[in-house]
Amino acid sequence: MYKLLLLLLMMGIWLWGGALQIDEEMAVQALFQGKHAVNRAVHAAAQQLDEAALAAGRFRIDEKRAAEEALRYLQANLRLDANGQPLPGSYWRDRVDVLAFEIVNADRTFPYTYRNKQYGYEVTLQRPGVVMIIRLQYPRIFSVLEPIEWEVKGAAELVYG
């Protein structure tokens, strides 16, 4: 009888361990998906040239177009609506918040070190660029893990030359 109880106990522990491992692996994949989405968004934003400045021989990011493009890419890659809420069929369940979005334009001295003490992020840009920080919450499959929330950070520079 005690062997049967021990077997049932061990099966429960193995199931719990398997669920924990699956949840951890899926959390890492979700973080990578979020990081790729941020990287794509800032890269797209950094490529939005101010055409009037370019005509005058200066490389400058068009701030309005850059913000629109960054949000468009973030929404498309994470399947979000305009308010940051997940669309039906999206992997995410909770709202995705843009915590910081800054365009570092040619009015700064380069190399320029962007610092955001609130979110613990620092990056050195060699030319005009874009910085974005978003908040993602992992949609747990099992309730083995504690809730996970990330501040995903990314930066991209204007590509020219």
Side-chain angles (χ1 to χ4, degrees):
M1 181 69 177
Y2 69 92
K3 289 182 182 179
L4 180 61
L5 290 175
L6 182 62
L7 180 66
L8 289 174
L9 178 66
M10 291 304 293
M11 285 178 61
I13 291 172
W14 288 325
L15 284 172
W16 180 84
L20 178 64
Q21 181 178 2
I22 290 169
D23 227 6
E24 287 174 343
E25 289 177 10
M26 291 184 73
V28 170
Q29 290 299 318
L31 177 60
F32 285 160
Q33 182 184 359
K35 180 62 176 159
H36 290 309
V38 168
N39 286 345
R40 290 178 185 121
V42 294
H43 181 75
Q47 303 315 308
Q48 303 306 310
L49 282 173
D50 181 339
E51 294 174 10
L54 185 61
R58 292 176 291 140
F59 290 100
R60 182 172 174 74
I61 297 172
D62 183 323
E63 295 185 14
K64 183 177 184 273
R65 285 182 36 220
E68 290 170 356
E69 200 66 11
L71 289 176
R72 190 176 73 79
Y73 265 71
L74 192 65
Q75 290 167 1
N77 283 288
L78 295 179
R79 300 204 52 203
L80 307 172
D81 67 11
N83 298 320
Q85 294 292 342
L87 293 171
S90 174
Y91 178 76
W92 307 99
R93 291 188 205 139
D94 298 304
R95 177 182 162 84
V96 175
D97 295 313
V98 177
L99 304 174
F101 181 78
E102 186 166 339
I103 297 170
V104 178
N105 242 324
D107 54 348
R108 311 270 173 87
T109 305
F110 292 96
Y112 176 79
T113 302
Y114 170 85
R115 289 183 181 89
N116 189 316
K117 292 181 182 179
Q118 183 177 1
Y119 301 111
Y121 187 55
E122 181 175 309
V123 63
T124 300
L125 300 171
Q126 301 299 321
R127 54 184 71 152
V130 177
V131 178
M132 178 185 269
I133 303 172
I134 66 168
R135 177 177 293 126
L136 280 177
Q137 294 177 346
Y138 171 59
R140 298 180 299 164
I141 304 303
F142 305 105
S143 53
V144 179
L145 282 176
E146 293 294 319
I148 300 173
E149 187 173 282
W150 300 290
E151 292 167 353
V152 183
K153 305 157 186 158
E157 297 176 339
L158 177 63
V159 179
Y160 60 85

